[in-house]
Amino acid sequence: MKSICVFCGSSHGAIEAYGEAATATGRVIAEQGYRLVYGGAKVGLMGTVADAALAAGGEVIGVLPQSLQEKEIGHQGLTELHLVGSMHERKALMADLSDGFVALPGGVGTLEEIFEVWTWGQLGYHRKPCGFLNIAGYYDHLIAFLDHQTQEGFTRKAMRDMAIFADGPEELIERFKSYTPPSSPKWITRDET
């Protein structure tokens, strides 16, 4: 694993713990010798995670749609900033550049990004780990819902278990290192159809 992609909020959220977690995540990624790949903005938790990785001497690669750069939210101090034409291009390039994916607290965009790459993993398009940093219980309700979804037969347990939840970046990265994707990248079996 060389690069870790972080999806997170373009705002700071309601409590200080989210910003502290973004700082710790950027720092840990850099200190462990990984490149940070993220959405390229200087605002919110996005800017915080990038600044922390840079301050720790890490490489930071941003991927930002040109339309957002024109709104002056692009981070100007990155190792590399890729400007792309659309959100679809952004997500595809971030996925190509990354060996694992982390969701810090964030909004609908953060969920959409992590769920898309998790789905790609379920379909066998990649074999990269996907994880959530459950800062101050932020993802507790999501964990309960995913367990309910599995119990109700809409997600196989092997696919549910692909989503790794941890309370801190060190724990999550350690779990990434030992990640083994399911041997069969399909979400249903012929017997279940």
Side-chain angles (χ1 to χ4, degrees), residues 51-153:
D51 288 342
L54 290 166
E59 290 183 52
V60 179
I61 300 171
V63 183
L64 187 71
Q66 181 67 46
S67 61
L68 294 180
Q69 174 71 353
E70 291 166 2
K71 293 180 181 180
E72 299 181 352
I73 68 164
H75 196 301
Q76 300 305 308
L78 305 178
T79 310
E80 296 175 32
L81 178 62
H82 297 272
L83 296 176
V84 295
S86 70
M87 293 296 281
H88 294 294
E89 290 176 55
R90 179 196 217 181
K91 291 183 293 183
L93 182 55
M94 290 170 77
D96 287 344
L97 293 171
S98 303
D99 301 304
F101 307 93
V102 174
L104 276 163
V108 173
T110 299
L111 291 176
E112 186 268 335
E113 290 166 330
I114 191 69
F115 273 95
E116 184 163 9
V117 293
W118 180 17
T119 300
W120 293 347
Q122 288 182 9
L123 296 173
Y125 295 155
H126 68 73
R127 299 176 60 79
K128 304 170 185 179
C130 297
F132 295 77
L133 280 171
N134 190 25
I135 307 306
Y138 185 77
Y139 286 116
D140 285 353
H141 295 291
L142 177 61
I143 293 167
F145 177 74
L146 293 173
D147 291 342
H148 173 70
Q149 190 179 51
T150 303
Q151 181 181 2
E152 293 301 311

Side-chain angles (χ1 to χ4, degrees), residues 2-48:
K2 297 176 185 172
S3 299
I4 296 177
C5 179
V6 174
F7 303 121
C8 57
S10 58
S11 66
H12 292 283
I15 62 172
E16 237 177 78
Y18 303 145
E20 291 167 357
T23 297
T25 300
R27 180 182 46 76
V28 167
I29 287 171
E31 287 176 352
Q32 292 198 19
Y34 301 109
R35 290 184 310 179
L36 169 66
V37 176
Y38 87 115
K42 64 182 178 184
V43 297
L45 296 184
M46 295 174 74
T48 301

